């Protein structure tokens, strides 16, 4: 037996024959006998065909794996229209009198090399996307090259690299798992593999003559075993059965309440960035949307979304959640969330600048448009409004006065605004310290631990050098959460956590013991969290062994609450 390490891309275990795929690189003729204008027309026609193929793939993956996975094909379609790419192709066509396929290959190589040289893992992963679209155009132009042939029995595919469109074209019924020599866990191929539950590794240095030999791929453990012995096969089969049982068990929790063994119930809701994510939230058993980050509607927009556009987005989410509450956070722009359409001024310290509620109170027309849209959406189901980055009482009062003004205005116009519950984000130390007063103004708090950590520890959340200084489990942050819950409850105010710490399962018991009413987390964290909650028993003392509350730096904080 031979063991090789790799980078885990997608969990799960696959066992079967290895199929080494050698992509047949077609030799392309370089010099064209046609005029550049004719090659240009060939290239444009191929791009058009590629665009329709990508649209088809988008629809297919959308139906099979959801919007997040399908998005890559929309990105590829847009890359086909990218000016840098088109300019590079045209330049090769015109300066070298080249064929369209040769020009597409050259332009793909140039851009891919530029992405690979960038100092960001994300941008490096985009090199594969450029290669993927160039290959597609070349395939259309030459009519050669295609999907990896998997043969007639299920295999583990080994490839030098695998692009997202190559992956989706593979016959799923014959693909047990795959490994690649090049790639990264941040690539779109990796994202697709995770969504489609295909065990996968990257960074595996395989040999081409391993083709046909039996292998076990452990996507969780980051290992490939070649010619496994009986003992390993048995151990891996047991592990695989365990993982399958686990996935099925989690699905079984979808419609169950998040209640501890001693009867304490908590709501587990989803954080979403747009109305299309509501489906994912429901698939994962969300009891509501605890945080709709409305700024995402502005981030990619050429102009600020108007009232009707926003109403359509909020109404879509509210309808999709079918009676479950949707908490819409008002525009939290500024700092790292810069939307071109807002024309924000450059600031020395943007995290401490004109962001979130401050921006909305300074630009009231912008705020009113959003408030009117939310009030109208509230006529279609239960909606709450959440004001971000509150530091002072007067901010809440001014925002609420505007909200009431918008309500009267809508009523005067004959529209029927719905009722809303009002909440504030607790994400500044100032808001924690005045939580008692704030609780008398609103119906609920939602603790944003990402910003609360940044502002409490004075550590910029964007700066990767500060990782070890920016400890969200710092006792100061945990004490602030405890204090906020206590102050909120004293005045009948519900308390949720919607920042990243809500999904930290080492703290779930502590949060429940503090009395937190709701945890709002990314959809994929909902079911594992629900399972944990349903296994907890809060009777008796919390012991360090049962629920270690540790800071990132290892110190123990038992008993700080
Ligand atoms: C937070 O700060 O914890 C939060 C949920 O808001 P965002 O991450 O969008 O700033
Ligand atoms: Mg925040």
């Amino acid at each position: 037996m031979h063991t090789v390490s790799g980078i885990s891309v997608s969990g799960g275990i696959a066992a079967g024959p290895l199929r080494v795929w050698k992509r047949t690189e077609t030799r392309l003729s370089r010099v064209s006998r046609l005029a550049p204008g004719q090659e240009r027309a060939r290239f444009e026609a191929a791009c058009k065909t590629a665009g329709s193929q990508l649209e088809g793939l988008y629809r297919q993956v959308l139906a099979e794996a959801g919007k997040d996975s399908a998005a890559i094909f929309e990105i590829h379609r847009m890359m086909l229209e990218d000016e840098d790419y088109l300019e590079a192709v045209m330049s090769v066509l015109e300066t070298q009198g080249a064929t369209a396929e040769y020009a597409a290959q050259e332009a793909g190589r140039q851009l891919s090399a530029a992405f690979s040289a960038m100092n960001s893992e994300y941008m490096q992963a985009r090199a594969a996307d450029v290669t993927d679209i160039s290959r597609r155009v070349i395939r259309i132009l030459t009519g050669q090259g295609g999907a990896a042939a998997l043969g007639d029995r299920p295999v583990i595919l080994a490839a030098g690299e695998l692009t997202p469109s190559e992956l989706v074209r593979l016959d799923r019924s014959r693909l047990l798992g795959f490994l690649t020599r090049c790639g990264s866990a941040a690539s779109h191929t990796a994202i697709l593999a995770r969504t489609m539950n295909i065990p996968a590794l990257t960074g595996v240095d395989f040999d081409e003559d391993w083709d046909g030999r039996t292998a076990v791929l452990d996507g969780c453990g980051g290992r490939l075993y070649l010619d496994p012995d009986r003992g390993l096969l048995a151990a891996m089969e047991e592990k695989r059965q365990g993982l399958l049982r686990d996935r099925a068990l989690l699905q079984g929790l979808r419609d169950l309440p998040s209640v501890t063994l001693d009867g304490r119930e908590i709501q587990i809701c989803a954080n979403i960035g747009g109305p299309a994510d509501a489906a994912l939230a429901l698939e994962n058993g969300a009891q509501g949307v605890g945080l709709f980050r409305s700024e995402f509607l502005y981030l990619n927009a050429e102009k600020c979304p108007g009232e009707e556009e926003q109403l359509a987005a909020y109404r879509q989410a509210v309808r999709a959640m079918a009676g479950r509450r949707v908490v819409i956070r008002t525009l939290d722009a500024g700092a790292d969330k810069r939307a071109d359409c807002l024309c924000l001024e450059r600031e020395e310290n943007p995290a401490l600048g004109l962001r979130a509620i401050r921006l909305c109170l300074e630009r009231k027309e912008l705020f009113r448009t959003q408030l009117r849209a939310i009030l109208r959406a509230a006529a279609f189901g239960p909606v709450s409004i959440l004001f971000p980055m509150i530091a002072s009482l007067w901010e809440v009062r001014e925002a609420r006065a505007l909200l009431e003004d918008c309500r009267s205005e809508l009523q005067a116009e004959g529209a029927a605004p719905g009722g809303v519950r009002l909440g504030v984000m607790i994400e500044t130390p100032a808001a924690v310290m005045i939580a008692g007063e704030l609780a008398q103004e609103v119906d609920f708090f939602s603790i944003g631990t990402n910003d609360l950590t940044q502002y409490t520890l004075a550590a910029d959340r964007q700066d990767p050098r500060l990782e070890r200084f920016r400890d969200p489990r710092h006792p100061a942050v945990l004490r602030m959460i405890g204090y906020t819950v206590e102050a909120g409850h004293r005045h009948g105010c519900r308390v949720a956590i919607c920042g990243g710490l809500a999904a930290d399962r080492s703290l779930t018991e502590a949060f429940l013991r503090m009395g937190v009413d709701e945890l709002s987390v990314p959809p994929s964290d909902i079911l594992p969290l629900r399972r944990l909650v349903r296994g907890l028993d809060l009777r008796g003392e919390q012991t360090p062994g049962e629920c270690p509350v540790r800071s990132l730096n290892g110190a123990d904080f038992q008993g700080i609450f």
Side-chain angles (χ1 to χ4, degrees):
M1 184 170 81
H2 182 53
T3 307
V4 201
S5 298
I7 300 163
S8 186
V9 155
S10 170
I13 290 166
L18 205 61
R19 168 95 174 85
V20 177
W21 179 42
K22 279 179 272 174
R23 183 180 285 103
T24 41
E25 294 288 357
T26 328
R27 275 186 71 83
L28 305 176
S29 33
R30 177 174 176 172
V31 182
S32 172
R33 278 172 294 167
L34 304 175
Q38 287 169 299
E39 288 293 351
R40 186 188 174 122
R42 284 184 68 227
F43 175 76
E44 284 168 357
C47 283
K48 211 165 156 200
T49 310
S52 350
Q53 287 178 350
L54 288 164
E55 258 175 54
L57 280 174
Y58 176 84
R59 279 196 298 274
Q60 176 198 331
V61 178
L62 183 68
E64 287 172 9
K67 186 170 177 273
D68 285 355
S69 302
I72 178 57
F73 298 106
E74 178 61 11
I75 294 170
H76 280 197
R77 208 184 49 73
M78 290 187 312
M79 279 170 119
L80 276 174
E81 291 160 16
D82 180 80
E83 275 181 22
D84 289 338
Y85 179 65
L86 294 179
E87 262 174 35
V89 172
M90 294 312 152
S91 149
V92 181
L93 278 182
E94 276 152 31
T95 57
Q96 303 187 25
T99 58
E101 46 273 38
Y102 182 82
Q105 186 185 57
E106 274 310 292
R109 276 196 190 139
Q110 285 167 19
L111 281 186
S112 165
F115 278 131
S116 301
M118 286 185 187
N119 202 9
S120 129
E121 199 190 345
Y122 178 82
M123 293 315 283
Q124 285 166 3
R126 301 292 72 79
D129 295 330
V130 178
T131 308
D132 201 3
I133 58 159
S134 289
R135 284 205 185 116
R136 177 175 299 283
V137 172
I138 295 166
R139 265 197 317 271
I140 295 167
L141 283 161
T142 60
Q144 290 171 26
L150 296 180
D152 47 16
R153 56 188 184 136
V155 292
I156 297 172
L157 187 74
E161 59 168 334
L162 196 64
T163 63
S165 44
E166 283 165 346
L167 176 59
V168 294
R169 276 187 299 142
L170 293 174
D171 178 354
R172 278 290 284 117
S173 66
R174 302 209 183 121
L175 181 68
L176 300 166
F178 71 86
L179 54 107
T180 59
R181 201 174 274 129
C182 314
S184 87
S187 70
H188 280 113
T189 304
I191 294 168
L192 274 175
R194 285 194 285 275
T195 320
M196 294 157 92
N197 280 326
I198 305 172
L201 298 175
T202 187
V204 181
D205 193 14
F206 64 88
D207 226 316
E208 289 184 359
D209 57 10
W210 292 356
D211 189 53
R213 286 165 71 177
T214 304
V216 173
L217 182 157
D218 180 358
C220 319
R223 294 266 193 286
L224 178 81
Y225 303 93
L226 199 64
D227 305 324
D229 56 35
R230 276 170 182 264
L232 185 106
L233 278 174
M236 285 292 149
E237 178 55 18
E238 200 176 315
K239 191 168 172 183
R240 194 179 72 88
Q241 291 295 342
L243 291 172
L244 287 176
R245 277 197 301 274
D246 196 45
R247 198 173 299 150
L249 279 175
L250 277 179
Q251 271 305 311
L253 298 178
R254 230 172 74 157
D255 302 317
L256 295 182
S258 311
V259 59
T260 62
L261 293 171
D262 54 313
R264 169 80 211 286
E265 189 163 4
I266 188 167
Q267 296 293 300
I268 305 185
C269 297
N271 292 349
I272 66 170
D277 298 341
L280 202 61
L282 286 177
E283 272 165 35
N284 284 282
Q287 289 165 288
V289 167
L291 175 64
F292 182 144
R293 287 183 160 100
S294 70
E295 54 277 7
F296 286 111
L297 301 177
Y298 296 70
L299 289 189
N300 295 321
E302 269 175 28
K303 60 181 181 57
C304 288
E307 185 176 322
E308 296 306 320
E309 195 180 329
Q310 290 194 52
L311 167 64
Y314 304 144
R315 186 176 49 203
Q316 189 186 337
V318 171
R319 280 186 171 147
M321 291 308 290
R324 297 166 185 83
R325 182 158 293 279
V326 177
V327 177
I328 303 174
R329 180 173 71 183
T330 57
L331 180 62
D332 184 19
D336 57 314
K337 291 182 259 189
R338 295 186 61 82
D340 288 346
C341 65
L342 292 170
C343 303
L344 301 177
E345 282 171 35
R346 291 261 156 219
E347 293 174 291
E348 274 291 302
N349 287 308
L352 305 181
L354 194 62
R355 55 165 296 207
I357 196 71
R358 300 173 182 178
L359 181 75
C360 289
L361 293 179
E362 287 298 301
R363 291 172 58 176
K364 296 212 167 58
E365 276 318 303
L366 183 79
F367 198 23
R368 292 179 77 98
T369 303
Q370 179 169 43
L371 293 174
R372 283 173 58 98
I374 300 177
L375 284 170
R376 287 172 65 193
F380 297 88
V383 166
S384 296
I385 294 188
L386 181 60
F387 296 136
M389 216 199 156
I390 291 295
S392 304
L393 265 183
W394 68 263
E395 294 164 345
V396 186
R397 291 183 178 148
E398 198 171 308
R400 199 181 42 205
L402 273 169
L403 180 71
E404 287 320 317
D405 199 47
C406 289
R407 177 183 296 285
S408 313
E409 194 177 66
L410 283 168
Q411 281 161 341
E413 290 167 15
V420 288
R421 286 195 199 147
L422 201 59
V424 287
M425 295 278 298
I426 302 290
E427 50 186 349
T428 63
V432 175
M433 298 315 292
I434 60 166
E437 286 88 340
L438 285 172
Q440 295 171 57
E441 302 280 328
V442 295
D443 304 304
F444 69 99
F445 289 157
S446 194
I447 305 176
T449 53
N450 309 334
D451 276 317
L452 187 58
T453 305
Q454 152 165 271
Y455 295 128
T456 302
L457 302 181
D460 184 350
R461 65 189 268 192
Q462 300 305 319
D463 190 337
R465 296 168 308 166
L466 300 183
E467 201 63 49
R468 73 194 180 99
F469 300 98
R470 196 178 39 229
D471 180 359
R473 285 175 273 176
H474 190 291
V477 178
L478 297 179
R479 281 188 189 143
M480 284 191 177
I481 296 173
Y483 182 88
T484 303
V485 177
E486 204 186 290
H489 284 180
R490 218 180 312 125
H491 299 284
C493 183
R494 269 174 60 81
V495 183
I497 304 179
C498 67
L501 211 57
D504 182 338
R505 298 206 286 277
S506 72
L507 290 172
T508 312
E509 179 174 349
F511 290 150
L512 278 159
R513 286 184 183 275
M514 286 179 193
V516 170
D517 302 293
E518 176 185 309
L519 295 171
S520 193
V521 294
S524 58
D525 282 309
I526 294 173
L527 292 175
L529 206 49
R530 177 164 303 146
R531 172 164 58 195
L532 176 69
V533 168
R534 290 176 63 84
L536 289 175
D537 190 338
L538 303 177
R539 285 169 294 205
E541 284 293 297
Q542 178 178 325
T543 59
E546 279 169 1
C547 177
V549 176
R550 285 179 180 279
S551 81
L552 290 178
N553 298 328
D556 239 317
F557 296 118
Q558 292 304 322
I560 64 166
F561 312 115

